[in-house]
Amino acid sequence: MRIEVRPEVCVGAGQCVLTAGRFFDQGEDDGLVVLRRTEPGPAETAEVREAADRCPAGAITLREP
Ligand code: SF4
């Protein structure tokens, strides 16, 4: 799995950071999503999926191999 984010549609809700802070952060100035890591391991995919589901803006896309 590979994570992609679209800061241009992010609304800065922070749900991704609360759910999977190892992968997502928010910019200090604008609060928009910043990707910290792109490829979760097998034990981490569930939290990344949850973060994507909780994003109110659809800013997180998960690419399956
Ligand atoms: S949950 Fe979605 S809208 Fe909120 S900060 Fe993360 S990417 Fe942006």
Side-chain angles (χ1 to χ4, degrees), residues 20-61:
R22 284 180 287 184
F23 296 91
F24 304 99
D25 201 352
Q26 288 176 273
E28 276 185 32
D29 296 333
D30 55 15
L32 300 181
V33 63
V34 175
L35 203 48
R36 302 180 71 191
R37 287 172 52 198
T38 57
E39 296 187 10
E44 299 170 314
T45 56
E47 70 181 270
V48 172
R49 282 187 211 284
E50 188 175 346
D53 287 346
R54 287 186 176 184
C55 175
I60 301 170
T61 301

